[in-house]
Amino acid sequence: GLNYLTMNIGERIKLSRSRLKMTQQQLGDRIGANKASISQWENGVYTPDAKNLSALAKALSVSVFWLMDGKGDPTGQNLEIAPPDISVR
């Protein structure tokens, strides 16, 4: 299995995004950020702020806590996660 604890926030964002087969552009569109921001977060140039972290967690169906520290299950069976969006757009 993957060791989430040795990853940084960016790597966890990237991993979650690739699991959903989402491009940086698609993720950016979902959270109202540009593709460059997503790329910079994933590459560790910048760290997303609280507002963006929350939006990223929702868009990626993972918990904010897991994105921040990698502990536990990505979906972080806790109240910080929004249910995955199953509505068809």
Side-chain angles (χ1 to χ4, degrees), residues 28-47:
D29 289 348
R30 280 194 160 196
I31 68 165
N34 58 34
K35 185 181 161 214
S37 293
I38 307 290
S39 175
Q40 288 167 334
W41 295 335
E42 288 186 351
N43 292 314
V45 181
Y46 295 112
T47 302

Side-chain angles (χ1 to χ4, degrees), residues 12-45:
R12 286 189 287 270
I13 293 171
K14 192 173 203 169
L15 175 73
S16 306
R17 179 174 63 74
S18 61
R19 277 184 174 159
L20 296 174
K21 300 188 170 38
M22 210 186 285
T23 65
Q24 289 182 337
Q25 182 71 58
Q26 289 168 324
L27 178 55
D29 289 348
R30 280 194 160 196
I31 68 165
N34 58 34
K35 185 181 161 214
S37 293
I38 307 290
S39 175
Q40 288 167 334
W41 295 335
E42 288 186 351
N43 292 314
V45 181

